[in-house]
């Protein structure tokens, strides 16, 4: 993996990150990200291409569809909850995406062996630092700062396949809403948030558990159900504001290590159920570790791309990253709540080339990491890569040599690519694959 990073760095210098090879032991580079230096180690897998997305801040770019959706969601929360005439939620939309593994995982009770920590799924800067994989990574620090109701909005990074709905960077709005007994049970002063067997003053002395699917053992059924009702009502209100009163939704039971119980909401869009958010009651261990030990909270996380793509009928997630005026002007000088339907400027043809290679004897068709290959393809091809599909796995019956074949679909969003141009990129990818993975092109 180290080799991959070094190789990539060599063939892809980027003006945004500065790498110096001289100071690091074992010639592992020092990564400079947003004016801070990080020593790369054997876990590092972030690429210059991915780091180049860090300063784009699409969610804050005026008139960008993601920024419009962000603003509509924030307005909904501002107008739904006020405290003495002021918005009850504070908004954090400029937190650095470079976080610690403690913030992204440990503070959220994500177990050491949880698959979401895998190197094949995250962009690690080094073994203790990564590009946040979700906005929930900031939940504990904001709770520790004494906040009770807040929104965290920003870009998140996950290694994934390549197609029209997946991109390694996307945006989320995450929220926490906490309530104390006096507030939650304003009209029912006889009711409690915590079971009498649980003392919130000394949470470490009483075990909380999630054996019961309906609630955490520390919470009363009344508090959990009232929070669940408010949470669901709040989110149904949001999708109605965004998509209109007719939008159909359904709740699906879910599991997140940091909430219990947990749900996902799906909306019925273009004849399919589409998941738009995850939510639940915050695990009391998190609240207790971060300060407030007398409240109950709910949390949720919403993906902005899916909502923007559905609202504005944007057919390809890569368009979000387009600097082309043909895309951006369609969202300019329009009322925030106006109905906008994206019109493709024109559709340019795609071009598919296959790439087959023999694996080195150290790898098998099952141990070769497709996500590593996808990142390499994206590094070389950039945004003209529309899709990469694994087409075939082959083991030679006699020699037992193993080979893989990927189809790479090329398409420029703003013009027609020539075959010669595509062939050149394809050759570069072949060369890089040989160099980085030691494969032999067939
Ligand atoms: N962080 C979760 C995700 O990225 C979403 C979530 C946020 C779920 C808060 C529950 C509570 O999928």
């Amino acid at each position: 993996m180290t080799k991959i990073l070094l190789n990539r760095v060599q063939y892809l210098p980027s003006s945004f990150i500065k790498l110096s090879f001289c100071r690091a032991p074992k010639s592992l580079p020092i990564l400079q990200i947003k004016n801070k230096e990080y020593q790369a180690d054997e876990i590092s897998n972030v690429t210059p291409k991915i780091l180049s997305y860090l300063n784009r801040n699409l969610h804050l770019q005026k008139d960008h569809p993601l920024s419009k959706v962000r603003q509509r969601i924030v307005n909904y929360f501002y107008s739904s909850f006020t405290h003495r005439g002021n918005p009850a939620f504070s908004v954090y939309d400029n937190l650095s995406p470079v976080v610690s593994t403690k913030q992204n995982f440990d503070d959220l009770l994500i177990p050491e062996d949880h698959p979401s920590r895998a190197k094949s799924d995250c962009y690690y800067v080094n073994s203790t630092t990564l590009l946040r994989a979700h906005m929930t990574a900031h939940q504990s620090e904001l709770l520790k700062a004494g906040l009770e109701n807040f929104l965290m909005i920003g870009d998140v990074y996950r290694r994934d396949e390549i197609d029209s709905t997946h991109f390694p960077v996307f945006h989320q709005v995450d929220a926490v809403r906490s309530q104390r007994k006096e507030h939650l049970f304003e009209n029912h002063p006889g009711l409690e948030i915590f079971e009498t067997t649980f003392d919130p003053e000394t949470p470490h002395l009483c075990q909380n558990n999630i054996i019961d699917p309906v609630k955490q053992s520390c919470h009363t059924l009344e508090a959990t159900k009232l929070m669940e009702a408010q949470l669901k009502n709040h989110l149904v209100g949001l999708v109605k504001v965004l998509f209109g009163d007719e939008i159909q939704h359904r709740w699906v039971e879910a599991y997140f290590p940091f909430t219990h119980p947990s749900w996902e909401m799906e909306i019925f869009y273009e004849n399919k159920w589409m998941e738009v958010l995850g939510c639940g009651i915050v695990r009391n261990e998190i609240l207790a570790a971060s300060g407030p030990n007398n409240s109950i909270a709910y949390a949720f996380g919403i993906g902005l791309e899916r909502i923007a793509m559905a609202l504005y009928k944007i057919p390809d997630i890569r368009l979000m990253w387009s600097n082309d005026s043909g895309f951006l002007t369609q969202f300019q000088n329009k009322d925030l709540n106006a109905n906008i339907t994206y019109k493709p400027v024109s559709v340019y043809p795609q071009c598919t080339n296959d790439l087959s290679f023999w694996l080195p004897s150290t790898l098998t068709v099952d141990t070769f990491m497709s996500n590593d290959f996808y990142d390499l393809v994206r590094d070389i091809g950039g945004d003209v890569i529309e899709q990469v599909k694994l087409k075939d796995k082959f083991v030679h019956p006699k020699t037992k040599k193993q080979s893989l074949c990927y189809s790479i679909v090329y398409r420029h969003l703003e013009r027609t690519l020539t075959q010669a141009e595509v062939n050149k990129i394809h050759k570069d990818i072949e060369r890089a694959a040989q160099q980085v993975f030691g494969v032999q092109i067939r």
Side-chain angles (χ1 to χ4, degrees), residues 357 359-360 363-373 404 406 437 439:
F357 48 75
L359 292 169
L363 287 171
T364 70
V365 290
D366 298 314
T367 58
F368 182 75
M369 286 288 175
S370 282
N371 278 349
D372 289 343
F373 181 69
L404 292 169
Y406 288 92
F437 305 117
V439 302

Side-chain angles (χ1 to χ4, degrees), residues 133-136 139 158 172 174-175 256 258-259 278-280 299-301:
H134 55 174
M135 287 307 293
T136 322
Q139 187 180 94
R158 290 189 204 168
Q172 289 183 324
D174 237 63
F256 300 104
F258 33 92
T259 50
C279 62
F300 55 84

Side-chain angles (χ1 to χ4, degrees), residues 6-17:
L6 286 172
N7 285 339
R8 283 183 187 179
V9 166
Q10 278 152 11
Y11 59 67
L12 240 177
S14 150
S15 55
F16 180 62
I17 49 156

Side-chain angles (χ1 to χ4, degrees), residues 351-419:
C351 179
T352 306
N353 280 15
D354 286 353
L355 200 158
S356 315
F357 48 75
W358 294 111
L359 292 169
S361 54
T362 48
L363 287 171
T364 70
V365 290
D366 298 314
T367 58
F368 182 75
M369 286 288 175
S370 282
N371 278 349
D372 289 343
F373 181 69
Y374 300 151
D375 271 323
L376 176 121
V377 174
R378 207 191 289 281
D379 273 356
I380 308 285
D383 293 343
V384 303
I385 306 297
E386 181 168 278
Q387 201 180 358
V388 184
K389 285 178 292 204
L390 178 60
K391 194 172 168 187
D392 191 33
K393 293 180 180 182
F394 174 72
V395 181
H396 192 283
K398 288 224 180 77
T399 63
K400 297 284 179 267
K401 273 177 83 179
Q402 314 216 354
S403 114
L404 292 169
C405 177
Y406 288 92
S407 280
I408 306 181
V409 182
Y410 297 86
R411 192 199 319 242
H412 200 293
L413 289 169
E414 288 128 16
R415 62 184 177 82
T416 301
L417 285 172
T418 65
Q419 188 64 51

Side-chain angles (χ1 to χ4, degrees), residues 265-423:
M265 187 208 259
E266 297 181 344
I267 59 171
F268 199 64
Y269 172 73
E270 288 193 337
N271 288 320
K272 279 198 295 285
W273 286 104
M274 173 173 88
E275 182 207 315
V276 286
L277 61 88
C279 62
I281 310 293
V282 177
R283 290 270 295 267
N284 192 61
E285 293 88 327
I286 298 175
L287 295 179
S290 306
N293 60 4
N294 54 358
S295 59
I296 182 167
Y298 61 68
F300 55 84
I302 309 175
L304 290 186
E305 270 76 357
R306 281 199 182 173
I307 299 215
M309 288 172 79
L311 270 180
Y312 305 126
K313 308 259 184 304
I314 298 172
D316 191 312
I317 195 166
R318 292 176 302 158
L319 282 160
M320 299 292 178
W321 298 88
S322 167
N323 281 316
D324 187 79
S325 58
F327 175 73
L328 291 168
T329 51
Q330 298 196 28
F331 301 93
Q332 279 161 9
N333 306 320
K334 301 257 168 55
D335 181 76
L336 185 61
N337 299 319
N339 264 331
I340 305 173
T341 304
Y342 170 74
K343 290 176 217 64
V345 191
S346 78
V347 177
Y348 297 99
Q350 37 173 235
C351 179
T352 306
N353 280 15
D354 286 353
L355 200 158
S356 315
F357 48 75
W358 294 111
L359 292 169
S361 54
T362 48
L363 287 171
T364 70
V365 290
D366 298 314
T367 58
F368 182 75
M369 286 288 175
S370 282
N371 278 349
D372 289 343
F373 181 69
Y374 300 151
D375 271 323
L376 176 121
V377 174
R378 207 191 289 281
D379 273 356
I380 308 285
D383 293 343
V384 303
I385 306 297
E386 181 168 278
Q387 201 180 358
V388 184
K389 285 178 292 204
L390 178 60
K391 194 172 168 187
D392 191 33
K393 293 180 180 182
F394 174 72
V395 181
H396 192 283
K398 288 224 180 77
T399 63
K400 297 284 179 267
K401 273 177 83 179
Q402 314 216 354
S403 114
L404 292 169
C405 177
Y406 288 92
S407 280
I408 306 181
V409 182
Y410 297 86
R411 192 199 319 242
H412 200 293
L413 289 169
E414 288 128 16
R415 62 184 177 82
T416 301
L417 285 172
T418 65
Q419 188 64 51
E421 252 179 305
V422 170
N423 289 348

Side-chain angles (χ1 to χ4, degrees), residues 46-57:
V46 67
T47 67
K49 176 77 188 160
I50 292 298
L51 289 172
S52 76
Y53 296 120
L54 254 68
N55 53 354
R56 288 289 298 272
N57 282 327

